[in-house]
């Protein structure tokens, strides 16, 4: 159906118009091979299995993620296989390894993409930056995308709670004439609340911008800046953390999620409203040039190259842990650990 978002009409698919029963019918003869059991793999695979689809998992034997898959109920030799065997058995290959992992495994995956199969992504990176990744699908397979707008952990949690995480969907290549039904059925199967249409390029550029921007990078930068100013002016760690992070995540953002920013403002004091209305535009004007610089870095492929170069190094995980440790051991997040322990539900 078409719905207006503001003044722009977009194509969306809801569970009402494409119910789970229809999705099962579309995919009744398919073997869905989920390749990779790291970030998105567990949530998508478990949701598909619980929704009644024929799912197998491909993962490196002996790895921690293999052990996690076994702990989650996947049975070696029945529903859990080495990656190449899963590629051979699957008719839909859900390529859910990291971007660097996809580059490394691509020759194996490509070998098993026989005519009529479908290659499924949850990120447009590999195909959009094919000059950098070498991922060029054969012409006789469907190439599709379902990108849940959140982590695999959130996708699974919301599914278990009877809710859904919104997802985008895209068709890069329709070799069989059934790509649309396949991708929408998979989107419903993994637990999407609703699906909105995009393409691989728009998915990856918006996604890379969001991750580096308000979803992760910018929010940490803003948190750190305000926390440091409060601490420099004599506020305690507990007070600074509560006024910077805890009140936002526990009190205010749920109101935004419920009914919008104006609703959250309306449920705060008149003093808070006045200050927020006076200051949001100066913050927009101060940060917009940084977002423009960020988007340019994404659009030109610089961010993709940085990701490939960094994530392909043998010591990537060690370096990553060092950077995460810096965050974790900062005073702000050490204060946050104590604040979380003091929440009533944790006592």
């Amino acid at each position: 159906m078409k719905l207006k978002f503001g003044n722009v009409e977009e194509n969306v698919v809801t569970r009402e118009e494409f119910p789970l029963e229809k999705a099962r019918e579309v995919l009744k003869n398919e073997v869905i091979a989920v390749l990779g059991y790291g970030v998105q793999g567990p949530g998508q695979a478990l949701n598909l299995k619980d929704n009644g689809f024929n799912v197998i998992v491909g993962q490196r034997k002996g790895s921690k993620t293999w052990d996690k898959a076994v702990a989650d109920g996947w049975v070696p030799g029945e529903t859990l296989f080495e990656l190449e065997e899963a590629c051979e058995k699957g008719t839909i290959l859900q390529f859910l390894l990291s971007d660097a992992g996809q580059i490394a495994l691509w020759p194996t995956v490509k070998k098993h993409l026989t005519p009529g199969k479908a290659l499924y992504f949850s990120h447009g990176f590999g195909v959009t930056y094919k000059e950098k990744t070498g991922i060029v699908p054969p012409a006789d397979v469907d190439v599709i995308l379902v990108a849940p707008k959140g982590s695999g952990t959130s996708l699974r949690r919301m599914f278990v709670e009877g809710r859904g995480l919104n997802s985008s969907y895209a068709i890069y290549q329709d070799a069989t004439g059934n790509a649309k039904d396949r991708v929408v059925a998979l989107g419903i199967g993994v637990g999407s609340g609703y699906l909105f249409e995009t393409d691989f390029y728009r998915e990856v550029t918006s996604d890379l911008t969001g991750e580096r921007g308000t979803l992760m990078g910018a929010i940490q930068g803003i948190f750190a800046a305000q926390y440091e100013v409060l601490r420099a002016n004599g506020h305690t760690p507990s007070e600074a953390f509560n006024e910077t992070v805890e009140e936002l995540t526990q009190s205010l953002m749920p109101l935004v999620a419920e009914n919008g920013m104006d609703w959250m403002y309306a449920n705060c004091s008149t003093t808070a409203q006045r200050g927020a209305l006076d200051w949001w535009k100066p913050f927009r004007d101060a940060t917009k040039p940084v977002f423009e610089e960020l988007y340019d870095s994404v659009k030109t492929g610089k961010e993709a190259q940085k990701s490939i170069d960094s994530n392909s190094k043998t010591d990537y995980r060690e370096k990553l842990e060092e950077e995460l440790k810096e965050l974790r051991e900062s005073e702000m997040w050490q204060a946050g650990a104590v604040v979380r322990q003091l929440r009533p539900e944790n006592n």
Side-chain angles (χ1 to χ4, degrees):
M1 68 171 65
K2 290 186 180 294
L3 288 177
K4 276 196 171 182
F5 292 79
N7 293 319
V8 178
E9 196 171 66
E10 298 185 37
N11 290 322
V12 301
V13 181
T14 66
R15 294 177 180 183
E16 288 72 31
E17 64 176 302
F18 206 107
L20 185 58
E21 293 74 19
K22 181 176 180 179
R24 290 195 192 109
E25 178 65 24
V26 168
L27 300 178
K28 66 181 179 181
N29 297 319
E30 305 276 13
V31 177
I32 305 166
V34 176
L35 308 178
Y37 207 74
V39 177
Q40 279 290 334
Q44 294 200 33
L46 290 168
N47 291 0
L48 283 163
K49 182 176 77 168
D50 288 352
N51 270 333
F53 297 90
N54 184 13
V55 188
I56 62 174
V57 170
Q59 186 56 49
R60 288 192 307 277
K61 193 171 185 178
S63 65
K64 290 181 180 178
T65 42
W66 175 280
D67 295 339
K68 175 175 169 50
V70 172
D72 284 347
W74 303 98
V75 180
E78 295 181 17
T79 55
L80 176 61
F81 302 92
E82 290 273 9
L83 284 158
E84 183 157 8
E85 189 173 0
C87 289
E88 185 179 1
K89 290 178 177 295
T91 60
I92 296 174
L93 305 187
Q94 293 199 186
F95 207 9
L96 301 183
L97 293 164
S98 68
D99 294 323
Q102 288 184 13
I103 294 170
L105 193 68
W106 175 241
T108 300
V109 172
K110 186 176 181 180
K111 181 170 64 174
H112 294 286
L113 282 172
T114 51
K117 285 193 176 186
L119 178 62
Y120 166 113
F121 294 88
S122 281
H123 192 26
F125 190 101
V127 169
T128 300
Y129 300 113
K130 55 184 179 292
E131 295 83 3
K132 302 177 187 295
T133 66
I135 297 176
V136 180
D140 51 9
V141 300
D142 292 343
V143 182
I144 55 181
L145 173 147
V146 173
K149 298 300 107 180
S151 72
T153 301
S154 299
L155 182 72
R156 180 60 179 168
R157 284 178 181 171
M158 293 175 78
F159 177 86
V160 171
E161 292 168 0
R163 301 161 63 203
L165 196 63
N166 301 331
S167 302
S168 59
Y169 76 93
I171 299 168
Y172 183 81
Q173 189 168 278
D174 183 4
T176 66
N178 296 320
K180 175 71 179 292
D181 278 352
R182 271 174 147 176
V183 72
V184 173
L186 287 162
I188 297 298
V190 301
S192 303
Y194 78 88
L195 296 154
F196 63 93
E197 188 176 28
T198 187
D199 59 42
F200 276 58
Y201 174 80
R202 285 191 290 130
E203 190 284 327
V204 73
T205 49
S206 61
D207 191 64
L208 291 180
T209 301
E211 291 166 348
R212 287 148 180 77
T214 58
L215 302 178
M216 297 172 69
I219 196 72
Q220 165 61 20
I222 290 171
F223 282 165
Q226 177 169 304
Y227 182 89
E228 289 168 11
V229 168
L230 289 173
R231 289 289 287 122
N233 283 277
H235 298 272
T236 65
S238 173
E239 184 170 58
F241 187 85
N242 271 283
E243 294 293 349
T244 299
V245 180
E246 189 76 351
E247 185 174 348
L248 176 68
T249 60
Q250 300 303 296
S251 173
L252 302 182
M253 288 312 294
L255 292 175
V256 176
E258 182 181 313
N259 211 17
M261 188 66 75
D262 63 310
W263 169 250
M264 185 267 274
Y265 281 14
N267 281 276
C268 294
S269 71
T270 55
T271 302
Q273 291 171 11
R274 183 69 270 141
L277 291 166
D278 287 346
W279 277 94
W280 80 261
K281 290 179 181 177
F283 276 110
R284 177 200 61 191
D285 295 343
T287 58
K288 191 173 180 182
V290 181
F291 281 101
E292 289 170 340
E293 180 184 354
L294 165 59
Y295 192 83
D296 184 68
S297 187
V298 169
K299 186 171 63 174
T300 58
K302 291 179 184 176
E303 293 302 308
Q305 192 62 56
K306 285 181 191 175
S307 179
I308 292 169
D309 292 345
S310 171
N311 299 351
S312 298
K313 292 178 179 176
T314 55
D315 62 348
Y316 164 71
R317 294 199 178 277
E318 290 79 5
K319 292 276 182 65
L320 173 64
E321 179 51 36
E322 288 176 13
E323 292 179 281
L324 293 177
K325 183 180 178 184
E326 180 186 353
L327 279 179
R328 186 168 56 249
E329 295 186 353
S330 67
E331 185 190 85
M332 179 171 72
W333 291 110
Q334 287 292 300
V338 178
V339 170
R340 289 192 296 276
Q341 289 172 7
L342 293 171
R343 290 175 187 164
E345 65 267 27
N346 294 331
N347 289 283

